[in-house]
Amino acid sequence: MALAACGGGSDDAATDTTGAAAGATDVSAPPSEQAADSITAPTAAPTTASPDDESSTIDGAATSAPPTTIEPTFPVTIEHAYGQTTIDEEPLRVVTLGVGEHDYALSLGVTPVGLRTYYFGQPFSVWPWARDELGSAEPALLAPGDVNFEQVAALQPDVIMAMASAIEADEYELLSNIAPTIARPPGTTYQSGNWRDVLQTTGMALGRPNEAAAVERDLDERFAQVREQHPEFVDASVTVAYFNGLDAIGTYPTDDVVFQFIEELGLEPLPSIDSIEPDTIRAISVSPEQLDVLDADVIFWLLGDGPALGQLRDLPTREASLRAAAERREIVSDQVLFSAMFNTSPLSAEFIIDRLVPELADALDGDTSTFASSAAPLYGEENGYVPTAAEQAAMDAWQRALASDVPLDEKRPHIADFEALLPVIEESLAAGAAAGGVSITPIRASIIGDTASVAFEATIGGGSTPGLLGEVELVDGVWVAPRQQLCTYVAFIGVECPPE
């Protein structure tokens, strides 16, 4: 039952389902290497200008700043890594292939008819920050791994959005025979680029340039508000570092997607990092003796499986080499925030702002007696996080749903389809008791709308596994574990749910 830490993944990495949550990614490799298919952005063909821009380019040609509103125009031609694609009319049936690329369409009011399966533990591969935009829609889920061209063709798409996918030239040609396909832009890599350009190009391709401009404008206002309220953020240096044990420590080039929204808040990636040669596609590995190269005004740790937190805390060179550690200027991700960082989109940006700003404020306030609540375990402080009443209720509901020492009557309100699943619940309680009992210790909850993600520790018999993640939904004022979530976890004690 190891934590799935990576929110993204390459086309092939999506099939790796090690860990407690279905679809969890093995983070023994650097997260950015696994997420090699994360959002890329066009260097040509942005379709609207941000409020402060005086010009933009379409198909590589400079244009004057657009008016407040833009009349959607078709046909439209968009340049990309494999040439250019013309879309003759506004597409009604949209298929997205890239990691989180559906977020861009959803942010513009367009629900894809099909999207790529990357996040097995998330309904329709959509994270909580985009659930409201998805609504009751049930898009077709395309197979992970290699592109299934037959599946794509069966959806009869009008356009295929693959700006955030690692499709190769031959795959692009095959997809183009199905429908106009927008591949990653010229000059970009899988982990670099700019969310603004992706948003603008998506707006042009889908006939929603005004919606794209409005989304960008609203985010710009939020970013500006944060910078005004927190001048200590501006020009502070930041390192986003991964840690999954002593053989997996490192960071990313400063143009990596993980820095994008942190930079929008005013912080700057540590420039000296770019002097180090990456040893994989996008990762820069360091040894425990080289941790000083990561030192910055604040360090954001992306952790792998559950034991990684304890290993990082006990790493002798951490506080000795990092002033940020000694002065309590660190932040630690959970899986949801981790995934939002790699899943750059206008929708994940809102979540990052809400979650990260308070953490940054505590880390950068110049007071070593205060620190980001997520980093409390690194400093031997267990009470750094104080949940709200709603967060506590969500954590309590998750504990009651899964723990083996909770009576059935107390479980009933907190498990969806309780009566239908009663035989499974009883079997799992018996299996848990035979294994020495299952206890659940909630650590933290993050609420987005009516969905709460609960970080927790599970103890089965004498073995403890920290760093796990579950999810409950608010139904008629009560937090309830969805059927899928319960079935995912009881499977790890050998109990299977019947088909729905």
Side-chain angles (χ1 to χ4, degrees), residues 62-220:
T63 66
S64 58
T68 304
T69 60
I70 306 169
E71 187 68 27
T73 302
F74 290 93
V76 61
T77 299
I78 297 173
E79 291 186 352
H80 51 74
Y82 304 125
Q84 58 184 25
T85 294
T86 297
I87 304 171
D88 291 326
E89 56 186 5
E90 182 176 347
L92 301 179
R93 297 181 61 81
V94 178
V95 166
T96 61
L97 292 184
V99 174
E101 196 157 2
H102 51 269
D103 275 13
Y104 284 86
L106 290 170
S107 74
L108 303 181
V110 176
T111 301
V113 297
L115 55 89
R116 197 80 164 276
T117 302
Y118 288 99
Y119 314 118
F120 295 87
Q122 305 298 320
F124 296 100
S125 279
V126 174
W127 282 95
W129 55 74
R131 298 274 174 79
D132 287 347
E133 287 74 15
L134 181 67
S136 60
E138 298 184 357
L141 289 178
L142 300 169
D146 294 336
V147 178
N148 187 317
F149 300 100
E150 291 75 13
Q151 263 192 312
V152 175
L155 293 174
Q156 299 180 323
D158 298 322
V159 69
I160 300 169
M161 303 300 295
M163 287 187 290
S165 175
I167 59 170
E168 300 294 342
D170 57 341
E171 294 174 303
Y172 165 76
E173 292 297 336
L174 290 171
L175 290 168
S176 294
N177 290 329
I178 298 172
T181 300
I182 310 300
R184 68 180 184 273
T188 59
T189 62
Y190 302 145
Q191 288 292 114
S192 68
N194 187 277
W195 66 272
R196 297 176 187 274
D197 295 334
V198 179
L199 174 63
Q200 293 167 5
T201 300
T202 302
M204 182 63 80
L206 302 186
R208 304 290 178 101
N210 296 317
E211 289 85 345
V215 168
E216 183 176 357
R217 183 168 56 250
D218 289 346
L219 277 179
D220 277 334

Side-chain angles (χ1 to χ4, degrees), residues 408-435:
L408 285 175
D409 285 346
E410 292 186 28
K411 289 180 176 292
R412 188 184 307 270
H414 302 295
I415 298 177
D417 296 334
F418 181 86
E419 299 302 333
L421 291 174
L422 184 56
V424 171
I425 296 168
E426 292 176 330
E427 183 182 355
S428 68
L429 291 176

Side-chain angles (χ1 to χ4, degrees), residues 401-404 408 411 415-433 438 481-500:
L402 265 68
S404 63
L408 285 175
K411 289 180 176 292
I415 298 177
D417 296 334
F418 181 86
E419 299 302 333
L421 291 174
L422 184 56
V424 171
I425 296 168
E426 292 176 330
E427 183 182 355
S428 68
L429 291 176
V438 177
R483 176 191 180 104
Q484 179 189 38
Q485 288 285 304
L486 181 77
C487 292
T488 293
Y489 280 101
V490 300
F492 287 93
I493 53 174
V495 179
E496 293 187 8
C497 288
E500 292 188 63

Side-chain angles (χ1 to χ4, degrees), residues 15 21 44 94 263 269 353 435 472 486 499:
T15 59
V94 178
E263 288 185 88
I353 292 170
V472 289
L486 181 77

